[in-house]
Amino acid sequence: MMSELVLLRHDLVLPVLVGLGGLWLVFVWSVRATPSRKRVLVKSMVSFLALFALAMIALRPALPQPMDKGVGVLLTNNFSQTRLDSLQKAHKGIALIPYAQNRSLGPVLDSISSLYILGQGVAAYDLWQFNDVKASYLGGPQESGISRLAYRPSHTLGDRLQLDGRYSNPQSDRWLFLQGPGEEGLDSVALKRGSTQTFRLEAPLKVSGNYGYALTEKDSLGNQLHTEPIPVQVGERKFLSILMLNSSPSFETKYLKNFLAENGHQVLVKSQLTRGKYKFEYFNRDRTPVYGMTIKDLAAFDVLLIDASSYRNLSANARRSLQESITEHGLGVFIQPDAAFFRAAKKDDFFDFYSTKVTEIGLDDQGKMSLGSFPYRFKNDFLVEEIELMAPPHLAAYRKLGMGRLGSFTLENTYQLVLDGHTDRYRELWTTLLEALSNRTMPMASWSASDDLAFQDQAFHFTLRTRIEQPLVVNDEGDPIPLLQDVDQPFLWHGKTYPQKTKWQYLKMVQDTTARFDFYVMESTDRQAMVAFNTHEENKRQFQEAQGGEETTMVLQPIALVWFFLIFLFGMGWLWLEPKLYGQDA
Amino acid sequence: MIGPGHILVQLQRKWRFRQGLEIFLWALGPAVLGYAITMKVGVGLVLFFLVLLVLVLARKPWQLTLAQVSRALDQKLPSLEYSSGLLLRPEAQLTDLALIQRQKITEVLQRSDAQLVSTSPMKKAGIAAAIFLGLGILIFQLGWGIAGSKKSRLDQKEIIQVQAADSLARQHPAPTITQQEVTVRYPSYTQKPMLTSGSMDVKALEGSRISWSLHFGSSVDSVLLEQGETTLRLSLKDGAYQQSMTLTESGFYNFRFFDAHGGSYITDLYTLEVTKDTPPTIELPELKQFTSFDYDEPKLLTFNALINDDYGIATAQIVATVSKGSGESVKFREEKLPFDTAPTSGQRQLNLSKKIDLAALAMTPGDELYFYVEAIDTKRPKPNTARSETYFAVIKDTVTDQFAVEATMGADLMPDYFRSQRQLIIDTEKLIANKARLSKEVFNATSNELGFDQKALRLKYGQFMGDEAEAGPEPVQEVTTEEDESGNPLAEYTHDHDGANEHNLVDHDHDHEEEGPAGKAADDPLEAYLHNHEDPEASSLFTQSLKSMLRQAMSEMWDAELHLRLYTPQNSLPYQYRALKLLQEIKNSARIYVHRIGFDPPPIKEDARLTGKIEEVSGFQKQEDLTKPLPQAHMRSAVARLQVVLAQNEKISGVDKELFSQAGQELAAMALAAPGSYLKTLQGLKWLSEDLETPREQLYEVMTGLMQALPNLAPDPHKSAQFQGNLDKLVQKELEAYDE
């Protein structure tokens, strides 16, 4: 049992041992003159005991004791009084522990053996304190407000902002408005009384920059009740460089090149006129013809649009360099199919098709917009990713090959949409296709936040992926932020910052100032319902697993000092009495 | 019981009250009118009390004594027998008779209480007050009052707001505009009076002359009117700065003026909205789009035309087209018909009637009439013209046209007799086939008949050649069948489809037919078919080729007839076939090829075709730069800049002002379609681009306005960024390995 003895003041062990040891030696030396050896021995023993007791008084020894402790209830934000009442009824004398964020609960928690947590729950950064306590999370009433919000915070000019969310405990006669940066209304949804309501709000993004959109709740009189900031980052459009290869001029190519060239993309169209003769059209680019298909030639392009017959007739060399351009340099390739392409599909195992009888695709609900298609559809396949065209499924897909993508569709004569006057739908279709396939630019640094929300004066964790060897990151004040390199992935760095100001802030890399990370810092009053919901979920997860293990916890109990005092007093008394009993010199 | 004297006292009170009321009503009317004209309460009150005082002093209602009441009663009610005075005397002074009389008149008075006090002066006063009140309201509503025409009626919002446009101007108090006026002179044809207003937002008809006149409280150096890129200087005339211009297009304008110290000021932005003179609208109620008449019913078409225009109709008429004939020979005749009631020029609304007699238009069965109503308004210099829908009237034809035009020919030029050769061959073959079953007589007779048919056919062709006399004997003596009345011996044997088409072949309007003698057509039957437009070459070529072939065909027919007549139809068949073949060739040679309109391919070089030589095929290169800036790029940049300015509390720099000014120009271009909607934003941009202190709220407003005005961008693919680390590559490789 002694092994479990713990000295509470173990920091004093050395001075006490040295001091008292010295004292004892002096004492032993002073009593050496005593004639009786036996008395010397007894005196030394007694003095040792007394000094030992003195040492113990100073060092406060403690022994772990099985604790016979009470039950406690932790009261966090928004707890239910009725639940507390019933708990108090069930456990007489239950200890009430109020919860305050960021404060140590150690001593209080030590005194209880099991804990109930009522209300919203414990903040994520305080959860560690409850690792050793057997706690059960009982939760509380759900806070009314937006408990879930999903949207892409960074977009490109011309995209649509799409906001999906869930509102908990909505009240009737309330409206949610999506407001632009100038507080202009963009979209709205009426709330209905119930437990939860999901909603979707949309708005076109017309300007680039960092904006604070807002989600505002209003009552039927138009009074603003609550506003949640919706930070949105809109980047400029970057043009694509496109190569189109055709074995003969086609209408599909003609319309597509017009669309792309008019929008400012660099387009090179190479159509074969006859053997060895080509028609080259250069839009928004230099007059540099591409004859072969070398890796160098292809490196200048983001997307290659090639018709199936040209693709079939590629020489082995060209095919090899094309393959390498895709896998190594990330080129996107789109094959404009013909009937033979689907028949030959088995041989070429990039795609697998199943046949269908449907050759007319409706693109809207009214049936006014339709397109022809080949009687084939893409099979679901490993590594084949479908391209969603806002149309029936399996019409378009790509296969990821190394860093690049190779895709196609089973549609026919999409320019028919333009002829029918559905120009926007046509543009949408090709925009989706080309964006899915095109080569991605490799940024110097890619930033991400492990938690989407940054709050003022709270830790904000971010990760940085970069090829720069020793990245240095500073915040907008110029203060450096320490980074931690990932053990397994050398290009991955973790960091943590405590933003001091609200609204848009940024982090940037010293080595490359263009690699800037803009993030929006909320005020502590923002997103409360969402924070509450997240805390609730996190608590549920944390306290679901069995906590604290054993029924009886061992607690260090200091040994009562009175015993040591008694030993010391007894020792001192004996040393005082002994000469009187046996005589000074005896 | 009320004493008899009391009745008189009561009457006296009532009388006084009514007099008071009457005076009040008389006084009220002028007071209200006075207020309506001057819009000043004081004037109304003064008038009221003045009239009241005059009337009270004139009438003196307090001086009404009981004796006067009694006298008035005596006059009014004869039944009182002039003895109401008895009521005023003490009872003790009265004799018995007087008492009885008094008793009597008391009863009379009690009975006729209601009629005792006259209400007619009250009524007069009431009517007068009502008239004054009505007048007052009318004047107030129409703004005819003294106040109405002055700027005191100007809405606070309409008074020109002035802003200092530079720091120099801020050091001195801004000059005030004491009087502002816009005059709109409508174009003379509208006959609208000149309009003067204090509101600077102008909405007027295209072509109106707009004049501005501004009076300043203190002296100003110069005043400019800025409209987009153009600037007009206002000239000082009669103490007012004036300028005028003709309104041609919508837009915005503002004034800028410089004070004596050189400080610059600008005003709010105002709209210039042009309304267009709309073309007249024409309605033809109760007229069906399509009317048809039988040939025997009266062909009268009666209708009314309702024509409306915003400023006046100059003239209206009916444009009618009569079509005669059908197919290629259709002829059109256009006529302008006046309405029965002549339209009066300058009217805004016309209701005109018209009765069209189709017979008067020389229309015959089968003819069609198309007509529409055309109205022209008074607009100058270029009037608006409007036309109604087109209406149809048809006189039903009694015969139905059925065309049998061959697919390859525009007109079927061939007489149908040519076809009979095939029929003859069929009949001959049928005869040969049936030979065994037929008796010899029948066989021979049928063969002879066929021989006759063959002869008739030959003769018909001979007619075209003009040489039937030489070609063989007349067939007439042999005709055993009855001739039909029209004298056409072949009527029974022919299958006349094409007769109806004959009008297509003969254009009666051509001169050459009218010139020639009537018999000429009969002499030369080809004349009708040749369509000879003084083109002897075409004509003779056509005739020559036909003639030689026809002659050959006829000699074949001659032989065929011979063998049929000899009862050896099998021998006649080869001749018949040869004749048919020749006729077929004639048909083909007579085909008309119409020059097609459209793509004319270059002639194919036959010597180079399919040789596989491509030396001369050359490559082709084309370079084009279609890059264009983002639409409304400055507006978009302005929003982005405003966002930064607002978020970081930055100052607006000179570069920003230039940007806002350009954004303003872009917005103004967009706003032309609807000047009202973007005015505030445009105003804000204007101020931002000047040297003005702009509060944050206004920056927000401008940003909101710009965001709302910006159109959505069309979908366009763009390049995205994605970080790919070694791990990603490894994972991809693993996945691919797994797939294989």
Side-chain angles (χ1 to χ4, degrees):
Chain A
M1 286 305 271
M2 279 305 280
S3 61
E4 289 174 11
L5 186 102
V6 179
L7 296 175
L8 292 179
R9 297 302 304 271
H10 51 84
D11 51 325
L12 296 177
V13 169
L14 203 65
V16 166
L17 271 185
V18 171
L20 292 182
L23 195 65
W24 187 62
L25 286 179
V26 168
F27 179 79
V28 171
W29 181 75
S30 72
V31 294
R32 76 185 189 288
T34 312
S36 165
R37 267 190 80 85
K38 194 181 157 196
R39 274 178 64 195
V40 170
L41 204 64
V42 172
K43 267 188 184 174
S44 303
M45 289 276 287
V46 171
S47 64
F48 180 80
L49 267 177
L51 286 177
F52 174 75
L54 199 63
M56 285 302 114
I57 290 169
L59 295 176
R60 309 271 327 262
L63 275 172
Q65 296 279 328
M67 203 172 65
D68 177 27
K69 291 176 289 187
V71 182
V73 57
L74 187 72
L75 304 174
T76 61
N77 271 346
N78 205 13
F79 67 88
S80 146
Q81 187 63 45
T82 46
R83 249 189 200 177
L84 178 62
D85 291 347
S86 33
L87 271 178
Q88 278 177 320
K89 213 168 166 185
H91 304 271
K92 295 280 178 218
I94 190 167
L96 301 185
I97 310 165
Y99 169 71
Q101 292 186 353
N102 239 344
R103 216 175 56 199
S104 168
L105 286 166
V108 193
L109 291 180
D110 283 348
S111 67
I112 48 170
S113 58
S114 76
L115 180 71
Y116 293 102
I117 301 172
L118 283 184
Q120 183 186 310
V122 179
Y125 46 76
D126 276 337
L127 283 173
W128 63 272
Q129 298 199 51
F130 299 86
N131 284 345
D132 298 330
V133 185
K134 187 191 173 227
S136 49
Y137 178 61
L138 299 178
Q142 179 94 60
E143 210 164 300
S144 171
I146 299 156
S147 54
R148 272 268 183 274
L149 204 55
Y151 73 100
R152 214 146 52 89
S154 76
H155 285 269
T156 309
L157 192 61
D159 285 359
R160 276 187 88 74
L161 172 66
Q162 192 173 305
L163 205 76
D164 289 299
R166 193 167 67 190
Y167 197 103
S168 299
N169 299 331
Q171 297 189 4
S172 50
D173 287 339
R174 296 279 174 91
W175 272 265
L176 268 188
F177 284 84
L178 177 61
Q179 291 182 327
E183 295 187 2
E184 72 277 17
L186 300 170
D187 200 0
S188 67
V189 63
L191 297 176
K192 287 180 212 98
R193 184 178 282 278
S195 62
T196 51
Q197 181 179 346
T198 54
F199 59 86
R200 169 175 286 190
L201 296 166
E202 284 185 56
L205 295 171
K206 302 192 267 196
V207 221
S208 55
N210 293 339
Y211 294 96
Y213 281 64
L215 204 54
T216 304
E217 189 178 340
K218 290 184 180 175
D219 63 12
S220 53
L221 298 172
N223 296 324
Q224 199 162 311
L225 302 173
H226 188 71
T227 299
E228 292 285 2
I230 307 287
V232 177
Q233 204 176 5
V234 187
E236 294 284 354
R237 280 174 169 173
K238 286 197 187 76
F239 295 124
L240 292 172
S241 179
I242 296 162
L243 172 65
M244 298 169 97
L245 295 183
N246 276 201
S247 59
S248 61
S250 78
F251 277 108
E252 189 74 287
T253 306
K254 177 187 149 89
Y255 282 93
L256 190 56
K257 87 180 177 210
N258 284 351
F259 160 52
L260 294 170
E262 276 165 19
N263 277 302
H265 299 286
Q266 298 177 355
V267 185
L268 198 168
V269 187
K270 178 181 162 190
S271 315
Q272 187 163 22
L273 297 174
T274 182
R275 199 172 351 114
K277 304 283 179 203
Y278 297 95
K279 174 176 164 189
F280 284 97
E281 288 165 284
Y282 309 93
F283 297 101
N284 314 323
R285 56 170 298 130
D286 308 337
R287 206 179 172 122
T288 29
V290 172
Y291 284 107
M293 276 255 274
T294 62
I295 295 170
K296 205 178 138 213
D297 285 333
L298 292 173
F301 299 97
D302 299 315
V303 185
L304 164 69
L305 292 151
I306 185 168
D307 63 359
S309 72
S310 300
Y311 182 73
R312 273 194 298 276
N313 297 333
L314 285 179
S315 67
N317 261 343
R319 205 173 271 260
R320 246 195 317 278
S321 43
L322 180 63
Q323 182 99 14
E324 197 180 328
S325 289
I326 300 173
T327 52
E328 299 303 319
H329 304 285
L331 178 72
V333 177
F334 180 82
I335 301 173
Q336 285 175 304
D338 56 12
F341 173 70
F342 297 103
R343 285 197 295 274
K346 290 241 156 34
K347 227 164 43 185
D348 187 346
D349 50 22
F350 288 133
F351 300 112
D352 227 350
F353 300 97
Y354 65 91
S355 54
T356 167
K357 288 201 172 102
V358 184
T359 53
E360 178 97 5
I361 307 291
L363 292 178
D364 61 347
D365 300 334
Q366 289 85 41
K368 282 180 187 160
M369 229 190 281
S370 65
L371 262 187
S373 90
F374 291 100
Y376 299 94
R377 297 288 180 271
F378 285 88
K379 265 189 195 163
N380 280 331
D381 201 357
F382 187 65
L383 283 184
V384 170
E385 197 88 28
E386 185 171 347
I387 304 174
E388 301 272 346
L389 292 179
M390 289 202 283
H394 309 314
L395 285 172
Y398 69 80
R399 170 180 280 265
K400 188 120 198 297
L401 295 173
M403 285 176 75
R405 293 157 186 83
L406 183 129
S408 186
F409 62 21
T410 70
L411 293 172
E412 215 178 351
N413 301 342
T414 57
Y415 62 89
Q416 198 61 41
L417 282 174
V418 181
L419 300 182
D420 293 343
H422 307 301
T423 316
D424 267 6
R425 193 71 182 81
Y426 173 81
R427 289 165 166 227
E428 218 169 75
L429 185 92
W430 279 102
T431 300
T432 316
L433 284 169
L434 293 176
E435 279 182 3
L437 293 174
S438 86
N439 193 0
R440 272 59 164 165
T441 37
M442 174 86 159
M444 275 314 274
S446 157
W447 305 78
S448 62
S450 50
D451 193 0
D452 286 340
L453 302 177
F455 285 93
Q456 191 177 15
D457 298 327
Q458 287 187 24
F460 173 61
H461 299 267
F462 63 89
T463 53
L464 168 67
R465 283 144 64 94
T466 179
R467 283 174 294 174
I468 292 172
E469 296 220 332
Q470 291 285 321
L472 288 176
V473 170
V474 293
N475 65 11
D476 49 345
E477 306 255 304
D479 304 326
I481 311 283
L483 295 177
L484 190 68
Q485 192 171 25
D486 196 274
V487 183
D488 301 317
Q489 304 176 50
F491 55 85
L492 184 64
W493 301 79
H494 301 278
K496 182 161 78 165
T497 178
Y498 290 84
Q500 292 173 346
K501 287 184 279 183
T502 55
K503 308 249 165 105
W504 284 102
Q505 305 297 326
Y506 66 87
L507 297 173
K508 67 179 178 190
M509 220 159 43
V510 177
Q511 288 94 335
D512 180 8
T513 46
T514 55
R516 196 172 122 140
F517 179 42
D518 291 278
F519 61 100
Y520 190 88
V521 182
M522 311 261 169
E523 282 173 40
S524 53
T525 49
D526 293 333
R527 302 278 166 92
Q528 282 193 331
M530 205 147 91
V531 169
F533 182 81
N534 289 345
T535 313
H536 176 84
E537 294 291 302
E538 207 143 348
N539 278 257
K540 243 166 58 183
R541 253 197 315 277
Q542 168 89 6
F543 298 115
Q544 207 175 33
E545 300 147 16
Q547 285 283 313
E550 306 144 31
E551 266 305 314
T552 52
T553 46
M554 302 297 276
V555 178
L556 280 179
Q557 283 282 4
I559 299 166
L561 293 180
V562 66
W563 302 112
F564 298 113
F565 276 116
L566 282 177
I567 293 169
F568 181 72
L569 209 65
F570 173 75
M572 287 298 125
W574 171 256
L575 289 178
W576 173 69
L577 265 177
E578 197 257 6
K580 292 186 172 64
L581 288 177
Y582 303 104
Q584 197 74 39
D585 303 318
Chain B
M1 180 77 192
I2 303 160
H6 192 74
I7 294 175
L8 283 184
V9 176
Q10 263 188 337
L11 276 173
Q12 186 194 23
R13 261 194 227 140
K14 212 181 257 180
W15 209 316
R16 274 189 192 149
F17 173 73
R18 294 213 173 178
Q19 267 188 339
L21 197 66
E22 192 192 330
I23 291 168
F24 173 78
L25 283 175
W26 279 114
L28 186 69
V32 169
L33 191 65
Y35 172 71
I37 292 170
T38 59
M39 291 305 288
K40 281 182 183 138
V41 184
V43 174
L45 282 176
V46 166
L47 262 176
F48 177 75
F49 286 113
L50 206 72
V51 178
L52 201 73
L53 194 72
V54 170
L55 286 178
V56 166
L57 288 177
R59 294 280 182 89
K60 299 190 180 86
W62 62 89
Q63 282 183 355
L64 186 72
T65 58
L66 285 173
Q68 276 174 315
V69 175
S70 144
R71 264 204 303 283
L73 280 178
D74 285 345
Q75 276 173 9
K76 194 159 184 167
L77 289 178
S79 53
L80 292 180
E81 295 163 354
Y82 295 96
S83 31
S84 61
L86 292 176
L87 294 172
L88 300 170
R89 299 238 189 112
E91 211 167 317
Q93 292 179 10
L94 297 178
T95 59
D96 286 351
L97 189 67
L99 276 174
I100 293 166
Q101 179 67 6
R102 183 172 137 150
Q103 189 66 36
K104 189 181 159 196
I105 60 164
T106 307
E107 278 169 19
V108 171
L109 275 176
Q110 274 170 346
R111 260 207 316 275
S112 53
D113 185 44
Q115 315 159 12
L116 292 178
V117 183
S118 164
T119 51
S120 61
M122 270 275 294
K123 276 184 190 159
K124 271 187 207 159
I127 289 166
I131 288 171
F132 276 119
L133 215 68
L135 262 176
I137 289 169
L138 199 71
I139 285 168
F140 183 78
Q141 285 295 321
L142 298 179
W144 287 345
I146 307 162
S149 60
K150 291 292 168 204
K151 72 166 184 167
S152 58
R153 284 264 288 163
L154 267 185
D155 209 330
Q156 197 61 34
K157 269 197 255 169
E158 292 173 351
I159 295 169
I160 295 179
Q161 299 295 316
V162 178
Q163 294 270 332
D166 58 22
S167 46
L168 193 61
R170 267 178 230 125
Q171 294 165 6
H172 305 281
T176 49
I177 295 169
T178 52
Q179 205 180 322
Q180 60 189 64
E181 215 172 73
V182 175
T183 312
V184 179
R185 284 183 190 81
Y186 287 94
S188 59
Y189 73 86
T190 59
Q191 296 171 352
K192 275 185 85 171
M194 190 173 84
L195 189 82
T196 304
S197 160
S199 166
M200 290 289 127
D201 288 323
V202 178
K203 184 178 178 179
L205 184 70
E206 187 181 10
S208 300
R209 188 94 188 141
I210 315 290
S211 310
W212 289 270
S213 166
L214 298 179
H215 286 267
F216 285 87
S218 49
S219 74
V220 289
D221 189 47
S222 58
V223 184
L224 304 172
L225 187 150
E226 295 178 334
Q227 191 199 358
E229 299 286 279
T230 57
T231 308
L232 293 172
R233 183 177 285 274
L234 273 73
S235 52
L236 186 63
K237 206 187 278 173
D238 307 330
Y241 283 89
Q242 297 179 340
Q243 182 55 269
S244 58
M245 62 179 274
T246 306
L247 198 58
T248 49
E249 54 176 14
S250 295
F252 303 92
Y253 74 95
N254 65 287
F255 296 106
R256 178 190 290 278
F257 54 89
F258 299 93
D259 64 9
H261 310 282
S264 161
Y265 301 86
I266 61 163
T267 67
D268 277 354
L269 219 51
Y270 299 101
T271 53
L272 277 178
E273 206 173 331
V274 175
T275 53
K276 296 263 184 213
D277 186 344
T278 52
T281 57
I282 305 168
E283 273 179 79
L284 273 71
E286 295 162 21
L287 180 63
K288 282 189 283 179
Q289 190 97 31
F290 193 89
T291 321
S292 63
F293 298 98
D294 282 328
Y295 75 100
D296 51 353
E297 64 178 326
K299 300 170 236 350
L300 281 177
L301 204 62
T302 314
F303 61 89
N304 279 336
L306 289 173
I307 308 171
N308 285 297
D309 186 55
D310 41 4
Y311 293 104
I313 304 147
T315 171
Q317 60 186 0
I318 299 161
V319 180
T321 308
V322 178
S323 86
K324 274 182 178 295
S326 56
E328 287 203 328
S329 70
V330 69
K331 280 191 252 55
F332 297 101
R333 188 176 81 230
E334 198 176 275
E335 270 182 55
K336 286 188 177 161
L337 309 175
F339 277 100
D340 294 345
T341 42
T344 24
S345 179
Q347 291 273 84
R348 288 192 183 186
Q349 196 174 35
L350 287 175
N351 188 358
L352 303 170
S353 63
K354 176 70 187 173
K355 192 185 272 182
I356 299 179
D357 186 1
L358 268 56
L361 292 169
M363 282 174 67
T364 50
D367 291 356
E368 291 172 3
L369 171 73
Y370 315 94
F371 67 94
Y372 58 87
V373 176
E374 190 180 62
I376 298 166
D377 72 2
T378 49
K379 186 173 173 245
R380 297 286 172 275
K382 199 170 163 259
N384 288 320
T385 308
R387 44 178 290 185
S388 69
E389 287 178 69
T390 305
Y391 292 83
F392 304 87
V394 180
I395 304 175
K396 281 190 208 157
D397 202 349
T398 46
V399 284
T400 325
D401 285 2
Q402 274 186 352
F403 293 105
V405 180
E406 287 199 27
T408 51
M409 300 171 86
D412 193 354
L413 286 170
M414 291 297 145
D416 48 326
Y417 313 120
F418 289 116
R419 294 196 188 114
S420 313
Q421 187 62 61
R422 190 183 294 278
Q423 192 62 49
L424 273 173
I425 292 169
I426 293 166
D427 287 346
T428 311
E429 282 173 347
K430 195 176 162 193
L431 181 70
I432 295 163
N434 289 344
K435 189 180 177 183
R437 271 178 278 153
L438 296 170
S439 63
K440 196 175 179 189
E441 290 75 36
V442 176
F443 179 80
N444 289 353
T446 317
S447 183
N448 193 37
E449 270 174 33
L450 286 173
F452 172 75
D453 283 349
Q454 184 66 74
K455 181 182 179 184
L457 185 64
R458 181 172 51 80
L459 286 180
K460 193 71 190 171
Y461 279 114
Q463 256 193 336
F464 288 97
M465 303 290 293
D467 59 359
E468 68 269 39
E470 302 100 285
E474 285 289 316
V476 187
Q477 65 262 36
E478 281 186 70
V479 171
T480 47
T481 48
E482 312 87 60
E483 273 193 341
D484 114 320
E485 284 163 22
S486 64
N488 183 352
L490 299 165
E492 274 193 318
Y493 304 94
T494 56
H495 190 65
D496 190 352
H497 274 312
D498 301 343
N501 198 29
E502 226 129 280
H503 62 269
N504 270 329
L505 310 178
V506 187
D507 194 342
H508 299 288
D509 284 353
H510 283 299
D511 294 335
H512 54 82
E513 240 187 74
E514 284 161 24
E515 283 164 11
K520 197 183 170 188
D523 287 352
D524 186 1
L526 272 179
E527 178 72 42
Y529 304 99
L530 286 179
H531 206 78
N532 189 350
H533 284 264
E534 272 105 42
D535 187 354
E537 196 189 351
S539 156
S540 64
L541 277 174
F542 184 68
T543 319
Q544 279 305 318
S545 64
L546 262 181
K547 266 190 176 169
S548 61
M549 269 199 279
L550 259 179
R551 204 176 289 282
Q552 220 181 323
M554 278 164 65
S555 73
E556 296 292 346
M557 283 182 203
W558 184 248
D559 287 335
E561 187 196 342
L562 174 73
H563 288 285
L564 284 168
R565 299 264 185 188
L566 292 171
Y567 314 135
T568 50
Q570 59 273 37
N571 291 345
S572 115
L573 268 180
Y575 298 104
Q576 288 194 40
Y577 272 113
R578 274 200 290 277
L580 179 68
K581 197 180 169 211
L582 282 164
L583 293 176
Q584 210 65 47
E585 275 171 25
I586 292 167
K587 266 192 179 181
N588 288 345
S589 74
R591 271 201 186 129
I592 295 169
Y593 292 96
V594 179
H595 188 81
R596 271 167 46 154
I597 299 162
F599 173 64
D600 209 353
I604 296 165
K605 290 178 193 159
E606 291 295 340
D607 50 339
R609 197 176 174 200
L610 299 174
T611 53
K613 288 180 186 160
I614 53 167
E615 290 82 33
E616 283 178 48
V617 181
S618 55
F620 173 75
Q621 296 213 355
K622 175 173 123 176
Q623 189 178 23
E624 242 181 302
D625 195 0
L626 300 172
T627 331
K628 52 186 176 200
L630 199 65
Q632 290 90 28
H634 291 116
M635 279 168 70
R636 290 178 211 273
S637 308
V639 173
R641 179 66 198 144
L642 278 173
Q643 163 72 16
V644 175
V645 166
L646 281 168
Q648 288 162 23
N649 264 331
E650 285 186 17
K651 286 253 174 231
I652 291 170
S653 68
V655 182
D656 294 341
K657 281 176 194 164
E658 181 59 30
L659 173 67
F660 292 138
S661 160
Q662 281 165 334
Q665 280 167 24
E666 280 177 1
L667 183 64
M670 284 177 71
L672 281 182
S677 27
Y678 304 122
L679 185 63
K680 215 170 165 193
T681 312
L682 209 51
Q683 172 85 65
L685 277 174
K686 178 98 189 162
W687 285 351
L688 280 178
S689 58
E690 298 287 338
D691 192 15
L692 293 174
E693 296 271 329
T694 318
R696 278 176 74 81
E697 294 71 43
Q698 201 171 350
L699 295 183
Y700 264 114
E701 263 174 35
V702 171
M703 188 158 87
T704 308
L706 281 173
M707 280 292 251
Q708 280 169 341
L710 276 173
N712 289 351
L713 285 165
D716 183 21
H718 59 83
K719 201 172 176 180
S720 48
Q722 193 178 37
F723 187 87
Q724 283 231 330
N726 290 330
L727 193 70
D728 301 291
K729 287 181 189 168
L730 280 173
V731 168
Q732 178 67 28
K733 268 198 187 132
E734 276 301 309
L735 287 174
E736 277 168 24
Y738 174 78
D739 193 31
E740 282 157 14

